Structures are given as C-alpha cells and as structure tokens.
Amino acid sequence: MRRLITVLAGGALAMALGASAAGAQDIKQDTRDIRQDRRDIRSDTRDIRADRRDVARDRRELQQDVKTGDTQAAKGERADLRRDRRDLRQDLRERRTDRRDLRQDRRDRRRDLRDRR
C-alpha cells in the first residue's frame, strides 16, 4: 500500500512539473506569435499607406486625362485605380486579421500565465 501511494505521489509530481514546463513553452510561443503579429501589422500599415498614395496619384492622373480629353489614358488610369483600390482593400483585410490574431495570442498568453500559477 505504501508503495502504491509513493508511485501515485511521484506520478502526480511528475505531471505537475511537466505541466509547468509545457506552460512555459506555451508562453514563449505566444510571445513569439505576438511579436510576429506586430511585425505583420506594421508591414500591412506601410502597404496601406503606399496603396493610398497610389490611389490619390491615380485619381489626379485620371482627372488630368479627363480634363485634357485623352480617353485612352483615362481608361488605363481607371483600370489602374481599380487595381490599387483592390490592393488597398486586401491590405486592410490582412491588417484586420493580424489584429484579431494579436488579440487572440494575447488572450492565450494571459491564460497560460494564469494557468501556470
């Protein structure tokens, strides 16, 4: 009987130590994920700024082409403007997704820290 209690106590101790080690690894991974999400958000923000500049430039060029009566150039500018707007929408969606991932990774890390105690 005494041996059974010792084995069970040893098993419980091993599980507790293993759980804390796994928790530390989870926290480390969550921290890495948070850093990567922040990098992704910064990159998406840079892309969004560039896309907005492209859209503004295309609008100016389109207005100039319409003013001068150059229909072929205006047609090309409209197509370019559509592409740039599509890129802008895509980058906005990616940034929204990255922000959602960042919030989730922060929640995961808080939960792992709480569970570790």
Side-chain angles (χ1 to χ4, degrees):
M1 182 68 169
R2 187 167 202 199
R3 185 173 187 169
L4 178 63
I5 292 173
T6 304
V7 169
L8 289 176
L13 180 63
M15 285 179 59
L17 291 175
S20 67
Q25 184 64 28
D26 290 341
I27 293 168
K28 193 179 227 183
Q29 184 60 45
D30 290 336
T31 302
R32 283 188 198 126
D33 291 343
I34 289 169
R35 286 185 185 133
Q36 183 60 46
D37 291 337
R38 286 180 181 156
R39 278 191 292 269
D40 291 343
I41 290 169
R42 281 192 301 271
S43 174
D44 291 337
T45 301
R46 278 191 302 273
D47 292 344
I48 288 167
R49 285 185 189 132
D51 290 340
R52 286 183 175 156
R53 282 191 302 268
D54 290 344
V55 166
R57 187 194 65 234
D58 290 340
R59 282 182 183 158
R60 284 190 306 272
E61 291 174 358
L62 177 60
Q63 288 173 350
Q64 184 64 31
D65 292 338
V66 168
K67 192 183 282 187
T68 61
D70 190 354
T71 57
Q72 281 301 104
K75 185 177 179 181
E77 287 302 326
R78 282 188 187 100
D80 195 28
L81 186 58
R82 276 193 300 275
R83 280 191 299 273
D84 289 339
R85 284 180 176 162
R86 186 177 55 241
D87 290 344
L88 175 61
R89 284 191 303 271
Q90 178 63 32
D91 289 335
L92 288 168
R93 270 192 300 272
E94 287 176 14
R95 186 172 67 177
R96 220 176 8 255
T97 300
D98 291 336
R99 284 180 173 168
R100 188 173 31 244
D101 291 344
L102 177 61
R103 282 192 303 273
Q104 184 61 46
D105 290 336
R106 284 178 174 163
R107 274 188 227 119
D108 290 346
R109 185 175 63 179
R110 280 194 300 270
R111 187 181 58 236
D112 291 341
L113 284 169
R114 188 176 52 243
D115 292 346
R116 185 176 175 191
R117 295 176 191 177

